[in-house]
Amino acid sequence: GQNIDQPTEMTATEGAIVQINCTYQTSGFNGLFWYQQHAGEAPTFLSYNVLDGLEEKGRFSSFLSRSKGYSYLLLKELQMKDSASYLCACMDSNYQLIWGAGTKLIIKP
Amino acid sequence: GAVVSQHPSRVICKSGTSVKIECRSLDFQATTMFWYRQFPKQSLMLMATSNEGSKATYEQGVEKDKFLINHASLTLSTLTVTSAHPEDSSFYICSAKMDRDYEQYFGPGTRLTVT
């Protein structure tokens, strides 16, 4: 079956660094997405990885290891506005997105 | 670019009535649109995938006669929740993608409350 696993909730301190992990098992693989979702709002795109390695985009970086079925989202210099849910999603062989349950990130002052 | 709108943003309806939600791609042609449902503290659940001019493909467990999807043009898809019940209360989100593009662009969502 297809499965995406990520932690349910994480807490971090303003100004610090946090890494949100995601492991996946899908039928086929056409890339992995990270989305940010604030409560009551639609998801917004953060990153897309299809090749192994680290993609850096400002304070956010995303890493992928296809052989391990593993990705992480790294958030640096955390700000209070980064409090949100972070969704990991894989695109399978049919180009459909398989979604993880999301990780709720709580930032404390 | 790549803006998707949804209307209405919030709707309250009585049990047994029908509600229509519109999803529009404002500045691009969306060959494929997706409809998701999200219950509180849960992830997105794909309900159906629709391609312009053809019938929608529904996910297992989603009643096609209850959730009517029409993708009549390259910029508009509608979801009609027929004979709504309180358990249909949820956050409904659409997304759209362009042909030969991998990214889905999400609408702002519609909060449906059935009383």
Side-chain angles (χ1 to χ4, degrees):
Chain A
Q2 307 202 95
N3 195 45
I4 311 284
D5 283 319
Q6 51 182 131
T8 304
E9 187 174 297
M10 298 182 71
T11 303
T13 305
E14 189 178 15
I17 299 173
V18 70
Q19 177 175 311
I20 304 174
N21 296 323
C22 171
T23 58
Y24 64 89
Q25 288 179 306
T26 55
S27 48
F29 181 79
N30 280 300
L32 185 143
F33 294 79
W34 283 97
Y35 282 85
Q36 180 191 61
Q37 186 179 26
H38 285 99
E41 299 180 12
T44 55
F45 172 82
L46 289 178
S47 66
Y48 170 69
N49 294 65
V50 67
L51 300 176
D52 286 353
L54 185 68
E55 296 271 350
E56 296 186 73
K57 193 185 294 184
R59 293 190 299 115
F60 292 6
S61 303
S62 57
F63 171 84
L64 175 67
S65 169
R66 294 184 62 160
S67 62
K68 295 182 179 178
Y70 167 71
S71 172
Y72 68 72
L73 180 69
L74 190 72
L75 293 77
K76 302 176 185 177
E77 301 168 19
L78 286 170
Q79 301 174 10
M80 297 303 292
K81 67 178 182 179
D82 297 330
S83 292
S85 286
Y86 290 86
L87 307 176
C88 172
C90 287
M91 186 168 284
D92 67 10
S93 56
N94 294 320
Y95 294 93
Q96 277 207 358
L97 283 180
I98 311 299
W99 293 86
T103 298
K104 182 179 180 181
L105 178 63
I106 300 168
I107 309 296
K108 295 186 174 180
Chain B
V3 179
V4 176
S5 70
Q6 266 183 255
H7 178 80
S9 57
R10 291 179 178 271
V11 58
I12 301 172
C13 70
K14 292 186 177 180
S15 187
T17 62
S18 295
V19 174
K20 180 186 284 189
I21 303 170
E22 292 187 349
C23 177
R24 293 181 185 273
S25 56
L26 299 183
D27 51 4
F28 67 99
Q29 293 187 329
T31 51
T32 306
M33 286 186 167
F34 304 86
W35 286 96
Y36 293 89
R37 181 167 52 181
Q38 186 175 35
F39 292 106
K41 298 184 179 181
Q42 294 187 23
S43 190
L44 299 172
M45 290 175 52
L46 179 65
M47 299 175 67
T49 302
S50 74
N51 292 295
E52 184 266 337
S54 60
K55 289 184 178 180
T57 301
Y58 289 81
E59 294 300 299
Q60 195 171 10
V62 179
E63 301 173 54
K64 62 180 182 181
D65 294 331
K66 180 171 179 62
F67 299 99
L68 303 178
I69 292 171
N70 186 294
H71 192 165
S73 78
L74 285 171
T75 59
L76 173 64
S77 176
T78 60
L79 168 68
T80 302
V81 183
T82 62
S83 187
H85 289 275
E87 56 264 33
D88 297 325
S89 298
S90 187
F91 191 46
Y92 290 85
I93 308 173
C94 74
S95 69
K97 68 179 285 293
M98 295 177 249
D99 194 25
R100 291 189 294 275
D101 191 5
Y102 54 76
E103 187 174 345
Q104 293 183 26
Y105 301 94
F106 285 86
T110 297
R111 176 76 58 191
L112 170 64
T113 303
V114 184
T115 60

